[in-house]
Amino acid sequence: MEIERKKLPKETLEQQKRICEMAAYFTHSNLQPVHMILVLRTALNLFFKLKNFKSAATFARRLLELGPKPEVAQQVRPQIFLSPNGPVSKYRCPQMALFPNPEGEGPSIPALKPKL
């Protein structure tokens, strides 16, 4: 999956969203903790670059739960609290609503409210 993700073009915003989506899917694979740390760091960096801070913070929390090296943890911690009002996402991948938060609070991206 990672090899196919790396082959994808990165020119447009839609292509970048697809790359992020594939990285997010890969974080749900059954991998050894050392390899999962690498996968989570990749997804975290991709979502951070796309300014999808809420999903990046979720990946950062999951990464910290695995107990990475202190220097990795030091780099990741600030990315959890990026804005004063909590993590906010600029772009949203609709498929990301399928992934629940690790805290069990529902989807990682809030669903759209219907107009009344």
Side-chain angles (χ1 to χ4, degrees), residues 28-48:
H28 290 277
S29 300
N30 189 14
L31 301 173
Q32 294 177 353
V34 176
H35 300 291
M36 184 55 75
I37 288 171
L38 293 172
V39 170
L40 287 168
R41 284 186 77 183
T42 300
L44 168 66
N45 290 330
L46 288 170
F47 277 82
F48 185 79

Side-chain angles (χ1 to χ4, degrees), residues 18-94:
R18 177 67 181 154
I19 289 170
C20 286
E21 178 187 356
M22 288 188 73
Y25 282 136
F26 196 39
T27 64
H28 290 277
S29 300
N30 189 14
L31 301 173
Q32 294 177 353
V34 176
H35 300 291
M36 184 55 75
I37 288 171
L38 293 172
V39 170
L40 287 168
R41 284 186 77 183
T42 300
L44 168 66
N45 290 330
L46 288 170
F47 277 82
F48 185 79
K49 288 177 185 175
L50 197 59
K51 295 185 172 85
N52 193 330
F53 300 127
K54 189 168 185 172
S55 296
T58 301
F59 295 129
R61 277 189 227 101
R62 287 179 55 197
L63 196 148
L64 290 173
E65 288 173 1
L66 293 175
K69 293 180 180 178
E71 54 270 8
V72 173
Q74 186 178 6
Q75 291 173 349
V76 169
R77 274 192 195 97
Q79 294 182 358
I80 295 175
F81 307 103
L82 290 173
S83 67
N85 298 329
V88 177
S89 298
K90 184 172 181 180
Y91 301 109
R92 183 173 102 97
C93 298

